[in-house]
Amino acid sequence: NEYDDRYVVESQGRVQYAMGPHAEYTCTPEFLAYCAKYAKERGWRLHIHCSETAKEHAECIERHGKTPVALFESLGMLDVPALFAHCVYITEEDMEILARHGAAVCHCPESNLKLGSGIAPVVKMREKGVLVGIGTDGAASNNDLDMLSECRTAALLQKGANRDAAAITAFEALKMATVDGRKALGVEGGPILEGEVADLILLDVQKAHLTPFGDDPYAAVLYGAKSSDVVLTMVDGNVLYRDGEWKTLCMETIAQEVKRVREGLLSR
């Protein structure tokens, strides 16, 4: 029951604790209620996978007579700042519950496509007032964890699914991945102004695939830019990556460790 808050202190609040039970189908209601109570007592957030597949959604109703969202509400999991991953099969009633409690959704379109899970009703969720951010899910169901690619897929999917080229605009897609994602995680930040947290990503737009850059920078970035175009990342005023050089990481060491772990898993 004890936890060490030195990471929170040393990071000046940029590292936070949260409760992260996996999903309804891998956790008992008693455990989920305990996680909600524990998070509320400590002022933590809560994260869980929710209605990712049709099977998961239907079997929850069979087990408990409620959708996953309705079950989570009954267990107190929406009494704390909550972030639900996927939400591919949530109902309009579920959306109203999420909006009423101010809960957020992490939309992971490429993972949902790779696993054949379906397409989340992002447009409807946003119309209902649900805060929707964009994520990648894990490497096993996404591979490259490329956020620019994820944003583009999110926008294109909603255009196709809704047969509406304006379903998710370039501006809205990038806002979901940045401003709305920040809000979903409770992270401070905002506009590029003096006194604000200095978190920046810079792109090299002098590339053939971005030429001419055009009058709409949001569209140019969403539909044309690649992660390889990133030339600098800054967090709280500290440059972490610049022109191919990681300032705080040794990529060779990390790659070797990943290979070692993989070989260990394969030898079991």
Side-chain angles (χ1 to χ4, degrees):
N1 290 328
E2 296 298 323
Y3 62 93
D4 191 336
D5 67 354
R6 70 179 185 276
Y7 299 112
V8 178
V9 174
E10 291 174 1
S11 69
Q12 297 180 321
R14 298 185 72 84
V15 174
Q16 296 286 343
Y17 287 96
M19 293 299 289
H22 174 251
E24 175 274 328
Y25 61 92
T26 53
C27 300
T28 65
E30 293 76 17
F31 178 71
L32 293 175
Y34 171 78
C35 288
K37 180 175 180 291
Y38 196 92
K40 188 173 184 178
E41 289 174 350
R42 287 156 181 78
W44 292 359
R45 311 183 80 78
L46 186 146
H47 172 272
I48 191 167
H49 295 72
C50 177
S51 295
E52 182 177 357
T53 66
K55 181 174 183 288
E56 168 196 340
H57 187 85
E59 289 184 349
C60 179
I61 295 174
E62 291 177 8
R63 279 190 289 268
H64 305 290
K66 298 177 180 179
T67 66
V69 169
L71 176 66
F72 296 158
E73 181 187 38
S74 71
L75 296 174
M77 297 174 68
L78 287 162
D79 294 338
V80 298
L83 177 59
F84 292 175
H86 304 296
C87 291
V88 176
Y89 289 93
I90 63 171
T91 66
E92 290 198 24
E93 291 76 16
D94 291 336
M95 298 177 199
E96 291 167 0
I97 291 172
L98 295 178
R100 185 166 65 249
H101 288 277
V105 169
C106 181
H107 176 43
C108 306
E110 294 189 356
S111 170
N112 297 154
L113 289 174
K114 182 180 180 183
L115 298 179
S117 300
I119 301 174
V122 172
V123 171
K124 179 63 70 174
M125 283 193 276
R126 297 178 82 241
E127 288 175 350
K128 291 285 188 180
V130 179
L131 180 66
V132 182
I134 296 177
T136 62
D137 207 355
S141 61
N142 183 279
N143 296 84
D144 62 5
L145 309 180
D146 186 325
M147 278 297 292
L148 278 174
S149 174
E150 205 77 33
C151 293
R152 182 161 51 249
T153 299
L156 295 177
L157 262 183
Q158 295 304 309
K159 293 172 188 290
N162 291 277
R163 294 175 173 80
D164 179 4
I168 297 289
T169 66
F171 175 82
E172 289 170 332
L174 293 174
K175 179 175 178 288
M176 286 167 60
T178 54
V179 176
D180 294 345
R182 170 184 67 80
K183 291 179 180 178
L185 294 171
V187 176
E188 291 186 3
I192 303 175
L193 294 172
E194 184 176 354
E196 293 288 342
V197 178
D199 292 351
L200 299 171
I201 297 173
L202 300 185
L203 302 175
D204 178 5
V205 300
Q206 304 300 316
K207 297 289 184 70
H209 56 273
L210 289 171
T211 303
F213 195 67
D215 298 325
D216 185 346
Y218 303 109
V221 169
L222 182 71
Y223 300 120
K226 308 176 187 301
S227 289
S228 56
D229 298 330
V230 174
V231 294
L232 181 142
T233 60
M234 176 186 292
V235 176
D236 202 12
N238 299 308
V239 175
L240 303 184
Y241 171 85
R242 184 168 188 171
D243 296 328
E245 180 183 355
W246 285 266
K247 302 295 184 178
T248 61
L249 303 172
C250 176
M251 296 306 294
E252 183 178 350
T253 300
I254 293 172
Q256 290 175 350
E257 179 64 11
V258 169
K259 291 178 181 178
R260 185 190 67 77
V261 171
R262 179 180 183 274
E263 290 169 356
L265 291 173
L266 292 176
S267 65
R268 289 183 178 180

